[in-house]
Amino acid sequence: MITDLRYRHASIGQKIFIICSIIVMSIYVVLIIYPIFNMFISSFKTTREILQHPFSMPSSYSFKNIRILWIDKHFGLYFANSFLITVVAMVFVLLFGSMASFGISRYTFKGNMLLYMIFLSGIMLPLKAAVIPLFMLIKKLNLVNNRLSCILIFTGMGLPSTVFILAGFMKSIPKELEYAGRIDGCSDVRIYWQIFMPLCASSIALVTIYNAVPIWNDFFFPLVFLQRDSIKTLPVGLSSFFGTNSTNWEMLFTGLSVAILPMIILYLFMSKYFIKGMTAGAVKS
Amino acid sequence: MQIKKKTLRKFGTVSFFVLPALIIVITLIVAPLLMSMFNSLFSWNQMVRLDFIGFDNFKALFTKYPYQERFFNALKNNAQWFVMTMVIQNGFGLLFGYLLSRRIAGSEFFKRVFFLPVLFSIVAVGFLWGLYLSPNGLLNAILKATGKPEWQQAWLGNAKYANNALILVNIWRWVGFPSLVFLAAIDMVPVESIEASLLDGANSWQTFWKVIFPLIIPSLTIVFVLTIIGSLNVFEQVYCMTGLDGSPNFATDTIGTLFYRTAFGSVDAGNPEIGMGSAISVVIYLLTFCFSLISIVTTRSKEVEL
């Protein structure tokens, strides 16, 4: 760890450096917070108020806009779809990903490295560019306009990084724990489920965060595969709605607030894990 | 006999654990990749595969109107994404990462806020900034209020500014990520190396470039590769802010949007062109792969072992 720079004992030059740094970082903080703040207060305003007084506080606070959006514009439905798809895909990612990591990292066999490479190839290659064959495949399986299509694709998208992070962690668990389990008569499945999974809890939290955010926010695959209105996800619902009502500013700001709010709330509670999760995967390799 | 039974049992166990994930990854990632390459070598009528034509799709992409013009224009825009992201976003990322590593007052707060926009969906960020940058949006209102009304612009409607505006919005969203990667890397630099350089009389500037920087090159590689992959896959931002055809006049078109238009509704006519689309996707794969490899090899050679 690099030495800390405290204002109190700093030399004059360092004090100037500290003050300049804080100013630069504060400017960026304002650049982040102000648009978000403006967006939230605008969701209480009427279109007329937004156009006439873009910076002022709203004259009254009512949740009328949110109610219209949630019920009349189907945002409740979009939200539920996003939630369902993210949760189911994450269950698959974690279950199959941890099983594969266990198989690859704890058994030595021919082709071990090849298997690992197949999983890793998914990290480097953009799945978006493979959408044409994916579309044909999904069509053949009769899954177009079925939530299962996106669940499957997101599972595939999440598995490579999951195997990469979990297999790395499982390799570091001492063999003795496994032997102790075997002597007590544990089957392979019980060793995986009752010994390894609890030990991996922190890495699993990390993998969950690392994958759930991009899945929740993904726009491309739901855009292609979920075109019926009742099964759209939140990002796609947002875009289809805005395309047709681009002058209705109060609905625009309300919709954006609804789309962003869950992430802000989650982040306020879990920022420590979020930050760890997003950096650890990148730095460890 | 005994041994054979044992290997068979092990084979069964490993298969049980690995197969579900392997099947999903092969059918949804590896096979589509190979299929794209295969499909790009055929001519297509909408969704029906016709004759084997070798590399003719690629030839058309590089030499025939309108593909050639659109493709190289999109490629140029992607290059602009790459250069600006690399310089501005990663530059600020390195600066913020370093400042955060010095634990200056408020660094915990800064760290948390910087990372906030990374979590927002691209759609929300795109629309939010699309509104702010519109002719009667927030930015123009600020310019008017601060006495610079002559600077007002239709930021996304003017071909001169549109692509830069998109890129800067994306940089706004992503700066927190390289900042945290660099912070994590700088935190892992052993304090002895820094103390040694300070004892030798080096100032902070020299210590950073001569001691810390060489030691965080592995994290630089990761950020470089992610920047390359990201800049070659730009799609959502353009879709939400300036539309699928990369208006105005293709000034914000990227290979991603060109690919989507070609695959699902053609460049200028309106029919899906699977062959051309596959050719573009193969080009995206190859570019991603080559540039990632180059950046890994070149930064690897500059890496320092402790």
Side-chain angles (χ1 to χ4, degrees):
Chain A
M1 197 215 259
I2 187 171
T3 47
D4 293 1
L5 198 54
R6 293 268 169 248
Y7 186 77
R8 193 178 300 173
H9 302 293
S11 64
I12 300 277
Q14 282 175 327
K15 275 182 180 164
I16 294 170
F17 176 77
I18 293 173
I19 291 170
C20 290
S21 311
I22 291 180
I23 290 172
V24 170
M25 292 198 280
S26 301
I27 290 173
Y28 185 42
V29 165
V30 172
L31 275 178
I32 292 171
I33 304 252
Y34 186 75
I36 301 171
F37 171 75
N38 186 272
M39 175 187 76
F40 278 114
I41 59 163
S42 297
S43 70
F44 292 104
K45 293 179 177 177
T46 60
T47 297
R48 207 180 146 162
E49 235 185 313
I50 292 171
L51 290 178
Q52 284 180 344
H53 311 286
F55 311 118
S56 65
M57 298 300 285
S59 55
S60 71
Y61 293 85
S62 85
F63 290 95
K64 188 189 97 233
N65 285 343
I66 293 193
R67 209 178 52 235
I68 294 174
L69 191 83
W70 195 257
I71 296 158
D72 300 348
K73 308 282 184 193
H74 310 302
F75 261 51
L77 202 63
Y78 300 151
F79 192 93
N81 286 331
S82 275
F83 191 78
L84 179 81
I85 289 173
T86 308
V87 169
V88 177
M90 279 314 298
V91 169
F92 284 154
V93 166
L94 292 178
L95 179 68
F96 296 150
S98 63
M99 280 168 64
S101 312
F102 182 77
I104 288 176
S105 64
R106 305 307 295 191
Y107 297 90
T108 42
F109 55 91
K110 246 191 219 156
N112 194 319
M113 203 56 205
L114 177 74
L115 274 183
Y116 191 59
M117 289 321 254
I118 290 176
F119 282 114
L120 282 202
S121 68
I123 295 184
M124 291 275 277
L125 295 169
L127 194 55
K128 233 186 271 172
V131 71
I132 297 173
L134 275 177
F135 189 79
M136 292 174 176
L137 179 74
I138 297 288
K139 209 169 169 190
K140 223 168 249 167
L141 295 172
N142 223 347
L143 290 177
V144 177
N145 275 329
N146 184 330
R147 294 181 197 88
L148 196 57
S149 61
C150 281
I151 291 174
L152 280 175
I153 290 171
F154 289 148
T155 307
M157 215 165 76
L159 280 173
S161 61
T162 305
V163 169
F164 175 64
I165 294 171
L166 282 185
F169 184 79
M170 284 184 178
K171 261 190 199 122
S172 69
I173 296 174
K175 274 259 178 213
E176 285 73 22
L177 283 168
E178 196 182 326
Y179 295 146
R182 273 192 211 288
I183 288 166
D184 288 345
C186 279
S187 64
D188 294 82
V189 175
R190 279 189 66 181
I191 290 175
Y192 153 73
W193 189 249
Q194 293 191 319
I195 299 178
F196 274 75
M197 287 305 269
L199 284 171
C200 290
S202 63
S203 306
I204 287 174
L206 194 154
V207 169
T208 309
I209 289 164
Y210 189 84
N211 285 305
V213 174
I215 292 179
W216 173 266
N217 286 333
D218 192 80
F219 173 70
F220 187 78
F221 291 109
L223 174 75
V224 176
F225 293 115
L226 306 179
Q227 289 169 349
R228 217 175 57 221
D229 195 51
S230 63
I231 54 169
K232 276 178 184 161
T233 60
L234 203 56
V236 183
L238 207 60
S239 77
S240 62
F241 167 58
F242 288 135
T244 52
N245 294 301
S246 53
T247 47
N248 192 349
W249 291 61
E250 54 187 56
M251 281 298 134
L252 292 177
F253 279 108
T254 314
L256 290 170
S257 305
V258 168
I260 280 179
L261 197 62
M263 279 296 156
I264 293 186
I265 294 174
L266 200 65
Y267 185 63
L268 287 180
F269 287 110
M270 299 185 59
S271 57
K272 211 174 99 187
Y273 297 99
F274 263 112
I275 287 171
K276 248 202 198 135
M278 292 306 257
T279 53
V283 174
K284 258 193 192 146
S285 64
Chain B
M1 198 60 208
Q2 191 68 34
I3 295 166
K4 208 169 178 193
K5 217 171 167 185
K6 213 174 148 192
T7 39
L8 208 69
R9 215 183 76 94
K10 195 170 101 180
F11 180 75
T13 319
V14 173
S15 313
F16 168 77
F17 283 115
V18 178
L19 269 186
L22 190 66
I23 290 171
I24 293 176
V25 167
I26 286 183
T27 44
L28 293 174
I29 298 181
V30 180
L33 162 72
L34 298 176
M35 276 309 287
S36 300
M37 295 182 176
F38 184 71
N39 288 341
S40 69
L41 304 176
F42 287 81
S43 68
W44 289 74
N45 180 13
Q46 307 239 11
M47 297 288 278
V48 185
R49 189 162 60 219
L50 304 172
D51 309 319
F52 178 82
I53 53 166
F55 290 102
D56 282 5
N57 283 325
F58 292 92
K59 218 185 278 164
L61 183 64
F62 294 131
T63 57
K64 218 173 97 190
Y65 180 85
Y67 306 108
Q68 176 212 30
E69 202 180 312
R70 298 276 179 278
F71 176 72
F72 286 107
N73 172 54
L75 207 59
K76 190 199 89 216
N77 289 335
N78 279 91
Q80 198 180 341
W81 272 85
F82 173 70
V83 172
M84 280 180 69
T85 310
M86 197 65 135
V87 174
I88 302 174
Q89 176 182 304
N90 298 343
F92 271 103
L94 192 59
L95 175 71
F96 288 153
Y98 175 73
L99 296 180
L100 292 173
S101 77
R102 302 301 304 262
R103 304 288 187 276
I104 291 169
S107 65
E108 282 299 309
F109 169 77
F110 289 131
K111 185 162 81 181
R112 281 175 169 71
V113 177
F114 288 176
F115 195 63
L116 197 57
V118 176
L119 303 168
F120 297 163
S121 80
I122 302 185
V123 187
V125 170
F127 278 119
L128 184 63
W129 279 95
L131 297 176
Y132 289 162
L133 296 174
S134 70
N136 51 350
L138 191 68
L139 183 64
N140 280 341
I142 290 177
L143 287 174
K144 202 169 157 192
T146 52
K148 292 280 177 204
E150 67 275 18
W151 288 6
Q152 291 186 79
Q153 276 295 337
W155 298 101
L156 298 175
N158 187 333
K160 221 161 91 191
Y161 301 109
N163 205 35
N164 292 323
L166 294 194
I167 300 169
L168 287 174
V169 168
N170 199 50
I171 289 173
W172 171 86
R173 177 169 180 252
W174 274 105
V175 166
F177 185 72
S179 306
L180 290 185
V181 173
F182 289 134
L183 167 65
I186 294 173
D187 273 352
M188 288 200 302
V189 171
V191 73
E192 296 84 33
S193 329
I194 292 161
E195 274 172 357
S197 83
L198 290 176
L199 281 178
D200 287 344
N203 58 30
S204 298
W205 181 255
Q206 289 165 327
T207 309
F208 180 79
W209 288 111
K210 297 267 151 71
V211 180
I212 298 172
F213 189 76
L215 288 172
I216 61 168
I217 283 180
S219 68
L220 222 63
T221 313
I222 293 155
V223 170
F224 279 16
V225 171
L226 290 177
T227 306
I228 290 163
I229 298 178
S231 340
L232 283 168
N233 281 285
V234 179
F235 173 78
E236 284 91 343
Q237 205 89 31
V238 181
Y239 185 96
C240 299
M241 292 178 72
T242 53
L244 204 48
D245 52 356
S247 61
N249 194 21
F250 303 105
T252 59
D253 200 16
T254 60
I255 327 182
T257 44
L258 178 67
F259 167 64
Y260 189 92
R261 288 204 307 276
T262 316
F264 291 101
S266 133
V267 183
D268 286 309
N271 294 322
E273 293 178 68
I274 302 292
M276 289 303 293
S278 303
I280 298 176
S281 72
V282 171
V283 172
I284 296 177
Y285 278 131
L286 287 178
L287 286 175
T288 316
F289 182 75
C290 294
F291 281 110
S292 305
L293 204 66
I294 291 170
S295 76
I296 289 171
V297 170
T298 50
T299 48
R300 179 83 10 116
S301 67
K302 294 199 172 60
E303 229 166 81
V304 182
E305 291 281 331
L306 265 182

